[in-house]
Amino acid sequence: STRETELSSKQQKVNSSTLAIARHMSAPGIRIRGATVSGEGLALAGVTIEQDAAYWEWHITKPGDTPPDEDNDDDDYDEEIHAVKFGVSTKKDKAFYRALKSAADSGTDESTPMEDGTALMRPIPQLRDGDTIGIAVQHSDLPMVQFLLNGEPLHEIAINRFRGAVYPSIYLPGGNGDGQGGVSENTKGGGGGGG
């Protein structure tokens, strides 16, 4: 299955522009066509979050989306494995993705979020067409990443205490059977990154 992601930025008092997904920091399974990203794996924007506070939203588009099956007994674990992950990630390079592939190819791939680049990201299962995921990052005495679904805070998945430069990121899982979808991103408030 294929998911598509579109990344665009709208900073306060600045004309709308496009934040590009960085090919050199994204997984080999990510395909970039202009502002659209598809495929599977980790995709990072090419700009770090340098402000004290930043906020951006991902707008979900899932063509042909159908209402959830109320009789579906899938457990939460399966839903989280196949859920898109949102948040931030530290800088990645081709050597990082080669090491991940090597571990997977050797059969020793029991990667944890810390090892696969998603430690500062959280899965949000059962997204519907039209949903909005908000990400608020705060660099302060207690750095944190907060998540909102359609404006409602998801306190239980907030991330506290991280260090270093981080990049707006999304993780598109493979083999989830959801067909095509899209996500467009807009920054507000402190903006998404620095120069």
Side-chain angles (χ1 to χ4, degrees), residues 97-111 115:
Y97 294 108
R98 277 194 303 269
L100 268 182
K101 183 176 181 341
S102 177
D105 290 348
S106 69
T108 61
D109 182 28
E110 294 180 21
S111 61
E115 295 163 344

Side-chain angles (χ1 to χ4, degrees), residues 69-90:
D69 181 359
E70 294 180 19
D71 295 330
N72 191 345
D73 291 331
D74 288 346
D75 61 13
D76 291 340
Y77 178 76
D78 284 340
E79 290 173 3
E80 285 194 10
I81 284 178
H82 297 109
V84 176
K85 292 181 181 180
F86 301 89
V88 295
S89 187
T90 56

Side-chain angles (χ1 to χ4, degrees), residues 21-108:
I21 293 292
R23 160 57 45 219
H24 67 281
M25 291 193 296
S26 295
I30 294 293
R31 292 181 301 282
I32 302 169
R33 292 184 325 266
T36 301
V37 176
S38 61
E40 64 181 81
L42 183 60
L44 283 70
V47 61
T48 62
I49 299 170
E50 296 178 351
Q51 293 83 2
D52 288 339
Y55 176 81
W56 64 94
E57 294 177 341
W58 296 94
H59 300 276
I60 308 302
T61 304
K62 294 177 86 174
D65 198 15
T66 56
D69 181 359
E70 294 180 19
D71 295 330
N72 191 345
D73 291 331
D74 288 346
D75 61 13
D76 291 340
Y77 178 76
D78 284 340
E79 290 173 3
E80 285 194 10
I81 284 178
H82 297 109
V84 176
K85 292 181 181 180
F86 301 89
V88 295
S89 187
T90 56
K91 189 171 185 175
K92 304 296 178 231
D93 59 18
K94 292 183 189 291
F96 169 80
Y97 294 108
R98 277 194 303 269
L100 268 182
K101 183 176 181 341
S102 177
D105 290 348
S106 69
T108 61

